Structures are given as C-alpha cells and as structure tokens.
Amino acid sequence: MSVYDRVKRVRAWLLPAACPLCGGATAPERDFCNGCERALPRVATSCARCAVALEHADASALICGQCQQHPPAYAAVHAPFRYTSPIDQLILGAKYAARLDWVALLSRAMIRHLDGRANSIDAVVPV
C-alpha cells in the first residue's frame, strides 16, 4: 500500500465524505448524497450542436432551428447540467472562492457525461 493510499484512508476516516450541497453523508466514491444527486438539473434533451434545451420527447439527434439556419463554427457542445441552482453556486464557488474541491467534482461530472458521447475533443472550455 502506497503512502498516498494510506493518507487517503486516514483522511476518509478523520473527515468522512459529505455532500457539498446539503452536508449529508455520501458514499466514499460519490460526490453527492442520493437526494441531491437525483435533484441535479441535468440537461435532458438538447440540440446535438449547441446543447440548447429542446422540448421534443425524442430529440436526441435533432439540431435546433438556430443551428440549422446559422451553423456554429464548432461541431458540438456537451453540457451535463443546466446553469441553475445548485450548479451555478458550485461554479461560482469554484471560480471566485477557490473551492478546488468543487472544481474536482464538476470535472468528474463532466468526464462521466462525456463517456461514450464524445469520440474526440479538441478543447474543453469552462463557461
């Protein structure tokens, strides 16, 4: 067992994982408690090009009217969440309050979202 693994175990024992949104207990490998995880404002159906929300039930391969009329210079946008509470507070805390732990959990959420969706990525742009 490496020193890093030992430190990680001691840290988990001394400071049990807590949900950043409600402070409730989380499983060791989870970022949010079950209730907060279910309540996250995920993007359900969106434009395959710009990720704007679409109202259609089966819109997984659709492109919105704006992108059809004026195609953007990029191929696709991937957004796991809508920019609303509590995601907006996590982003603001990461940007302006040096909450690097929130940067890490938002990064992990993006990695999970991109898994199987994006074959090649030219740039990751935090907005």
Side-chain angles (χ1 to χ4, degrees), residues 45-124:
T45 45
S46 62
C47 172
R49 178 63 71 76
C50 71
V52 71
L54 297 175
E55 299 296 322
H56 309 306
D58 185 26
S60 59
L62 293 180
I63 296 177
C64 71
Q66 182 68 25
C67 287
Q68 289 178 15
Q69 292 177 358
H70 306 287
Y74 50 83
V77 170
H78 296 279
F81 305 110
R82 293 187 323 266
Y83 188 74
T84 186
S85 182
I87 296 300
D88 58 349
Q89 296 305 309
L90 291 174
I91 292 171
L92 291 173
K95 287 175 74 172
Y96 302 115
R99 291 301 307 260
L100 299 180
D101 55 331
W102 291 355
V103 172
L105 72 90
L106 291 168
S107 299
R108 286 189 296 272
M110 189 64 172
I111 290 167
R112 285 190 300 271
H113 176 76
L114 289 174
D115 189 31
R117 286 190 171 99
N119 295 333
S120 66
I121 298 173
D122 294 327
V124 175

Side-chain angles (χ1 to χ4, degrees), residues 11-20 23-33:
R11 182 179 181 271
W13 180 70
L14 291 173
L15 302 168
C19 178
T26 64
E29 299 300 320
R30 303 282 311 266
D31 290 318
F32 302 101
C33 68

